[in-house]
Amino acid sequence: VGNYKRTVKRIDDGHRLCNDLMNCIHERARIEKVYAQQLTEWAKRWKQLVEKGPQYGTVERAWCAFMSEAEKVSELHLEVKGSLMNEDFEKIKNWQKEAFHKQMMGGFKETKEAEDGFRKAQKPWAKKLKEVEAAKKAYHAACKEEKLAVSRETNSKADPALNPEQLKKLQDKVERSKQDVLKTKEKYEKSLKELDNATPQYMENMEQVFEQCQQFEEKRLRFFREVLLEVQKHLDLSNVASYKNIYRELEQNIKTADAVEDLRWFRANQGPGMSMNWPQFEEWSADLNRTLSRREKKKASDGVTLTGINQTGDQVSQPNKHSSSLSVQSNTVQSVQSSYNPFEDEEDTGSTVSEKEDNKIKNVSSYEKNQSYPTDWSDEESNNPFSSTDANGDTNPFDEDTSPAMEVRVRALYDYEGQEQDELSFKAGDELTKMENEDEQGWCKGRLDNGQVGLYPANYVEPIQ
């Protein structure tokens, strides 16, 4: 009697388990969303870095294919998040609302119905059980009284001082106790028999209510199994055709990378096969106005300035792509670059990669594809662009993008405080106009937005795309 409480409690547990399953799915959906966002941010950042970096040709396209893969996988994981929340989460929520009905006084209607059903089913049997317990108690009390009366009678026989009248009373007491024992025993056996006769009906009634609870719980268990299978289908991307296509396409893009084709392109656009701008005779012009470079200010030298160089041959179809390193003149820049570890553990520093990218240098190598190169050159050993120290060709005197009249908008990468009157001062993030390309000392002429014109270190800025 009363042990049905565990079965009734299972109904309340079922409602709580629905909440637990919804919370579980909600957390997984949030993880899918965050992962998708991180993939998108990673793809966007690295796509820009690769496009600005020194890699070119088919290998560049193969590298960028990884970013395309990340963007597509990000979309799929956003779809997973949408399926988990819009389908699975809502399905559980609606089922829970339909299966469990809250009462005004608290609790659920289904719980009260089960509680009342069990109480009603066991009430007759519980009443008879109570009668049996009372009859048993009365019988045991009579037996105890009989034993006590017999003991007193036995002791009185051995006592010579006891008169016959007192002895007769004790004997009557023993007789009455025996009669009480017989009566209570009979009543006890009768009530027990009635209880036994009521037991089958009690079992049947309790079984009926229990089966109703079982059916209610079965619906929940089957529903949970159904929902978990749907969640599994939403999470399993291995059977999604578009997911497989992503990696087939990625494999194809990587396999299309052709070293021979890239070398042929580089030869035609950056090597001996490129269009040449050979110097031609030009008349002197009074309008010629060129600001002294940093080197000319420090060391006067007689030389010839070539202006108005005309291109011969076809214009190259792709942006200039140079070799993989550039000598940085500023020790400050080198120290900043060397302190940035792109594979630093995010958890150790407490910042994300994107935050580091915002605070550090934002390109993969130390220069970009469209970085311009100086046209000034000398046959002195230290300034020879074809010497062993610059054998990588970073100072190509025949670069096509070196017209002194070209103006380009650039953005400061670092703070710079002018050391002399003809030098500009700016903060990281400031924009200015580059009026002349970098000279051999690593200085450019530029104009701030307030109109101030002066020199600044070329490697302190980047072109604005």
Side-chain angles (χ1 to χ4, degrees), residues 408-426:
V408 178
R409 291 292 289 175
V410 294
R411 181 184 294 108
L413 290 171
Y414 324 103
D415 294 346
Y416 181 74
E417 190 71 29
Q419 303 299 316
E420 298 183 19
Q421 292 183 352
D422 60 344
E423 294 179 8
L424 298 177
S425 297
F426 45 76

Side-chain angles (χ1 to χ4, degrees), residues 228-464:
L228 292 174
L229 281 175
E230 292 183 7
V231 171
Q232 177 266 331
K233 291 178 182 177
H234 292 148
L235 293 176
D236 185 8
L237 296 177
S238 63
N239 293 323
V240 179
S242 57
Y243 190 73
K244 297 179 180 179
N245 291 336
I246 290 174
Y247 292 98
R248 276 197 290 266
E249 183 179 344
L250 176 60
E251 182 182 9
Q252 291 172 358
N253 286 328
I254 297 174
K255 287 183 176 179
T256 54
D258 188 345
V260 176
E261 170 64 21
D262 290 351
L263 294 174
R264 185 201 63 76
W265 177 90
F266 193 87
R267 177 183 179 84
N269 293 274
Q270 304 291 341
M274 66 186 291
S275 300
M276 298 297 181
N277 296 322
W278 301 112
Q280 299 177 3
F281 179 81
E282 296 181 14
E283 291 291 345
W284 175 81
S285 173
D287 296 332
L288 180 62
N289 181 18
R290 184 174 183 277
T291 304
L292 291 178
S293 68
R294 194 74 178 163
R295 176 175 175 270
E296 290 170 331
K297 288 171 60 181
K298 292 184 177 181
K299 177 181 178 181
S301 62
D302 295 329
V304 179
T305 302
L306 301 178
T307 61
I309 299 177
N310 296 321
Q311 289 185 335
T312 60
D314 297 333
Q315 180 72 24
V316 292
S317 59
Q318 296 193 27
N320 292 332
K321 303 181 179 183
H322 306 294
S323 58
S324 59
S325 65
L326 175 66
S327 300
V328 182
Q329 303 296 330
S330 172
N331 293 331
T332 304
V333 180
Q334 290 177 346
S335 63
V336 172
Q337 291 176 339
S338 63
S339 65
Y340 170 57
N341 179 5
F343 305 105
E344 185 175 356
D345 190 352
E346 296 176 22
E347 296 180 355
D348 293 341
T349 60
S351 61
T352 62
V353 175
S354 59
E355 290 173 345
K356 294 175 185 176
E357 290 293 341
D358 292 338
N359 298 329
K360 304 286 185 176
I361 301 172
K362 297 187 178 181
N363 54 347
V364 181
S365 56
S366 57
Y367 71 99
E368 299 177 353
K369 293 179 182 178
N370 56 356
Q371 183 172 352
S372 57
Y373 286 78
T375 56
D376 296 338
W377 63 280
S378 169
D379 57 359
E380 296 177 5
E381 186 66 27
S382 60
N383 295 312
N384 185 359
F386 306 105
S387 64
S388 59
T389 57
D390 290 328
N392 56 14
D394 282 348
T395 53
N396 183 2
F398 305 108
D399 195 289
E400 296 173 335
D401 299 327
T402 57
S403 173
M406 178 183 65
E407 291 190 353
V408 178
R409 291 292 289 175
V410 294
R411 181 184 294 108
L413 290 171
Y414 324 103
D415 294 346
Y416 181 74
E417 190 71 29
Q419 303 299 316
E420 298 183 19
Q421 292 183 352
D422 60 344
E423 294 179 8
L424 298 177
S425 297
F426 45 76
K427 300 290 185 181
D430 291 349
E431 296 183 3
L432 60 151
T433 302
K434 180 175 71 172
M435 302 174 61
E436 289 184 7
N437 288 328
E438 177 184 357
D439 63 19
E440 64 185 25
Q441 300 296 326
W443 292 83
C444 285
K445 179 182 177 183
R447 180 178 66 250
L448 297 177
D449 291 342
N450 61 9
Q452 181 183 356
V453 177
L455 300 175
Y456 63 88
N459 47 31
Y460 269 55
V461 302
E462 65 174 358
I464 299 177

Side-chain angles (χ1 to χ4, degrees), residues 159-175:
D159 187 2
L162 198 64
N163 57 42
E165 186 180 348
Q166 291 175 333
L167 182 60
K168 182 72 169 65
K169 287 182 179 180
L170 291 175
Q171 290 175 347
D172 293 342
K173 180 72 173 177
V174 170
E175 189 64 27

Side-chain angles (χ1 to χ4, degrees), residues 50-322:
V50 172
E51 288 176 350
K52 290 181 180 181
Q55 187 56 61
Y56 56 89
T58 58
V59 173
E60 179 189 0
R61 290 195 293 272
W63 192 345
C64 287
F66 280 100
M67 276 61 90
S68 299
E69 171 266 342
E71 291 173 347
K72 294 175 182 177
V73 172
S74 173
E75 294 175 0
L76 287 179
H77 281 280
L78 284 178
E79 292 178 6
V80 170
K81 175 257 181 185
S83 298
L84 291 176
M85 292 303 299
N86 299 331
E87 296 180 28
D88 302 328
F89 185 91
E90 289 297 324
K91 186 173 184 179
I92 300 170
K93 183 178 179 181
N94 293 333
W95 186 90
Q96 183 191 43
K97 188 175 181 181
E98 294 173 0
F100 299 91
H101 300 85
K102 292 185 177 181
Q103 297 185 119
M104 293 288 293
M105 300 300 293
F108 300 103
K109 176 184 175 183
E110 290 72 21
T111 303
K112 187 176 185 303
E113 289 177 350
E115 180 86 24
D116 293 343
F118 278 117
R119 282 180 178 175
K120 184 177 180 182
Q122 74 174 19
K123 187 175 182 180
W125 192 85
K127 183 179 180 182
K128 294 183 182 302
L129 177 63
K130 198 172 184 180
E131 293 174 357
V132 169
E133 292 293 333
K136 181 178 73 171
K137 186 177 181 181
Y139 169 67
H140 288 175
C143 291
K144 181 179 180 182
E145 188 66 27
E146 180 195 16
K147 184 179 179 182
L148 184 61
V150 171
S151 176
R152 286 175 179 174
E153 182 192 11
T154 304
N155 294 334
S156 66
K157 289 179 180 180
D159 187 2
L162 198 64
N163 57 42
E165 186 180 348
Q166 291 175 333
L167 182 60
K168 182 72 169 65
K169 287 182 179 180
L170 291 175
Q171 290 175 347
D172 293 342
K173 180 72 173 177
V174 170
E175 189 64 27
R176 285 196 305 270
S177 298
K178 289 182 179 181
Q179 293 296 325
D180 289 342
V181 168
L182 292 175
K183 289 179 181 180
T184 55
K185 181 179 181 182
E186 183 180 355
K187 190 176 181 180
Y188 179 30
E189 289 175 344
K190 182 181 178 181
S191 62
L192 191 59
K193 187 176 182 180
E194 290 177 354
L195 182 66
D196 291 340
N197 293 334
T199 297
Q201 185 65 39
Y202 162 67
M203 289 292 293
E204 183 180 347
N205 294 340
M206 293 292 284
E207 185 83 18
Q208 185 178 359
V209 180
F210 181 76
E211 280 302 319
Q212 293 175 357
C213 294
Q214 288 287 84
Q215 291 173 8
F216 184 81
E217 178 68 4
E218 182 184 10
K219 291 180 181 178
R220 186 190 69 81
L221 294 174
R222 290 186 180 277
F223 173 74
F224 269 41
R225 181 180 183 275
E226 177 187 345
V227 169
L228 292 174
L229 281 175
E230 292 183 7
V231 171
Q232 177 266 331
K233 291 178 182 177
H234 292 148
L235 293 176
D236 185 8
L237 296 177
S238 63
N239 293 323
V240 179
S242 57
Y243 190 73
K244 297 179 180 179
N245 291 336
I246 290 174
Y247 292 98
R248 276 197 290 266
E249 183 179 344
L250 176 60
E251 182 182 9
Q252 291 172 358
N253 286 328
I254 297 174
K255 287 183 176 179
T256 54
D258 188 345
V260 176
E261 170 64 21
D262 290 351
L263 294 174
R264 185 201 63 76
W265 177 90
F266 193 87
R267 177 183 179 84
N269 293 274
Q270 304 291 341
M274 66 186 291
S275 300
M276 298 297 181
N277 296 322
W278 301 112
Q280 299 177 3
F281 179 81
E282 296 181 14
E283 291 291 345
W284 175 81
S285 173
D287 296 332
L288 180 62
N289 181 18
R290 184 174 183 277
T291 304
L292 291 178
S293 68
R294 194 74 178 163
R295 176 175 175 270
E296 290 170 331
K297 288 171 60 181
K298 292 184 177 181
K299 177 181 178 181
S301 62
D302 295 329
V304 179
T305 302
L306 301 178
T307 61
I309 299 177
N310 296 321
Q311 289 185 335
T312 60
D314 297 333
Q315 180 72 24
V316 292
S317 59
Q318 296 193 27
N320 292 332
K321 303 181 179 183
H322 306 294

